[in-house]
Amino acid sequence: MSTLMRKLVFGIIGLLAGLAAWPAAEFILALQSGFPSYLVFTITLGVFFGAIMGGFLGSVEGITLSVRSRILPGIVTGILVGAIGGAVGFLIGQGALFLVSDLFFHSNKAMQSYGIPISRTIGWGFLGLFIGTVEGVRARSWTKIKVGLVGGIVGGILGGCVIEYLRILYPAFTYTRLVGLLILGFLIGLFYGLFEKRFSQGVLKLLNGKLKGKEYLLVQKTIRVGNSDKADIHLAGYQNVADIHAVLKTVKGEIVIKNVQTENRILVNELNVTEEKLKFQDVVQIGAAKFLFFYN
């Protein structure tokens, strides 16, 4: 899967997340009068929103890298992080509403046109921020968390703005919330993919075998390559690849490849190496798998 297709998959799964969150949101909104307080209602709505969207977006890494064993842990992590993010985001949005109503917008018209949309958009931004960090939390990667923080909050704010102003511009349209949630999910996923590419130090593209053409963005500071499900670049089905065969490290902005054990052969441009800085268009062979290294 190319890096372009990876971004599109992020966006499509974000769309599916918005679609799945919509009926849950409508159900909770229909029960609003039964909640003991508006605070409890807000938290509940945020938890459901965040858990559903986080669960969907948490599955992306396993899907795009064709590693089934990562899909379920990603979903579970996404549900937990998303639920927290939804509750926090919606509470922040409610707090922002009280703040802007006291400091900036004192008329009902101004509140409806600016105060409420701006406050809720802030809440959507924080929801996106938490959802974006799901993969970084699962992988325990600070770099991926940073990608998610930036991509998630940008996508959340833009998507939240669409949700709020669609509601104002088209009050009679029955499916305003559905359209808004689809756009929100798509933008959170898309911007994560865009910033992931921006933060990466390079790309490894597989040149042979059953995964031929798949591209791996080198985002983390330490990337393990091997035949194990625990490897960040998982080379299942390739001969002569150890469980953890090699490690890629980012050193002063450059990618260095190193074998994990002396018996693990690594070839760079057909030369056997134990440790080597990668240069543009180097061909790297790990077992039977051949990669081309290049920059974005």
Side-chain angles (χ1 to χ4, degrees):
M1 182 180 293
S2 68
T3 55
L4 174 60
M5 183 60 67
R6 179 177 167 86
K7 288 195 288 289
L8 291 176
V9 170
F10 268 100
I12 291 168
I13 292 182
L15 277 174
L16 295 175
L19 180 62
W22 176 64
E26 295 299 320
F27 178 73
I28 295 170
L29 286 166
L31 299 176
Q32 181 177 349
S33 59
F35 283 86
S37 68
Y38 190 74
L39 177 63
V40 175
F41 165 73
T42 299
I43 293 173
T44 303
L45 188 61
V47 166
F48 272 84
F49 260 119
I52 293 170
M53 298 191 78
F56 269 82
L57 289 165
S59 69
V60 176
E61 191 75 8
I63 292 171
T64 56
L65 294 181
S66 304
V67 184
R68 293 181 181 178
S69 61
R70 291 188 194 171
I71 295 176
L72 183 57
I75 291 172
V76 172
T77 304
I79 289 171
L80 294 174
V81 175
I84 295 170
V88 171
F90 278 40
L91 284 174
I92 288 174
Q94 193 62 31
L97 179 61
F98 292 134
L99 184 64
V100 298
S101 64
D102 286 340
L103 297 179
F104 303 107
F105 306 109
H106 302 296
S107 70
N108 183 60
K109 183 179 180 180
M111 278 299 298
Q112 293 297 325
S113 300
Y114 304 105
I116 292 175
I118 290 172
S119 302
R120 288 180 175 173
T121 296
I122 292 171
W124 289 117
F126 274 91
L127 170 63
L129 181 150
F130 274 84
I131 291 173
T133 64
V134 167
E135 174 54 26
V137 172
R138 187 206 63 80
R140 298 179 184 178
S141 166
W142 171 237
T143 305
K144 283 194 171 186
I145 288 174
K146 287 192 293 184
V147 171
L149 288 173
V150 179
I153 198 167
V154 171
I157 287 174
L158 293 177
C161 192
V162 170
I163 288 177
E164 297 306 322
Y165 279 100
L166 277 177
R167 177 181 58 83
I168 293 171
L169 295 173
Y170 304 100
F173 182 50
T174 306
Y175 299 106
T176 301
R177 197 159 20 241
L178 171 59
V179 174
L181 287 172
L182 291 173
I183 294 172
L184 174 75
F186 177 77
L187 289 177
I188 291 174
L190 179 65
F191 275 95
Y192 179 90
L194 290 172
F195 280 100
E196 182 184 49
K197 186 174 181 180
R198 173 67 182 82
F199 276 78
S200 71
Q201 298 295 324
V203 181
L204 281 178
K205 181 177 181 178
L206 261 168
L207 301 176
N208 65 334
K210 68 175 186 177
L211 298 177
K212 181 180 179 180
K214 185 176 285 292
E215 296 177 355
Y216 299 89
L217 287 171
L218 307 181
V219 180
Q220 298 166 241
K221 288 189 176 180
T222 300
I223 298 171
R224 297 167 298 175
V225 186
N227 198 29
S228 168
D229 288 346
K230 295 180 179 179
D232 301 295
I233 297 178
H234 182 51
L235 297 176
Y238 286 84
Q239 294 182 346
N240 302 319
V241 178
D243 287 346
I244 303 296
H245 194 111
V247 173
L248 295 157
K249 289 182 177 289
T250 302
V251 181
K252 296 181 179 179
E254 295 185 290
I255 298 295
V256 176
I257 189 167
K258 183 179 181 180
N259 64 4
V260 174
Q261 296 178 338
T262 53
E263 61 268 24
N264 296 346
R265 291 190 65 194
I266 299 172
L267 301 180
V268 177
N269 300 325
E270 300 186 353
L271 297 176
N272 189 25
V273 300
T274 56
E275 183 173 340
E276 184 77 9
K277 285 184 182 179
L278 296 184
K279 302 180 295 298
F280 181 65
Q281 293 193 332
D282 275 349
V283 175
V284 180
Q285 183 169 347
I286 297 174
K290 286 187 177 182
F291 296 90
L292 177 67
F293 173 74
F294 60 94
Y295 299 108
N296 292 321

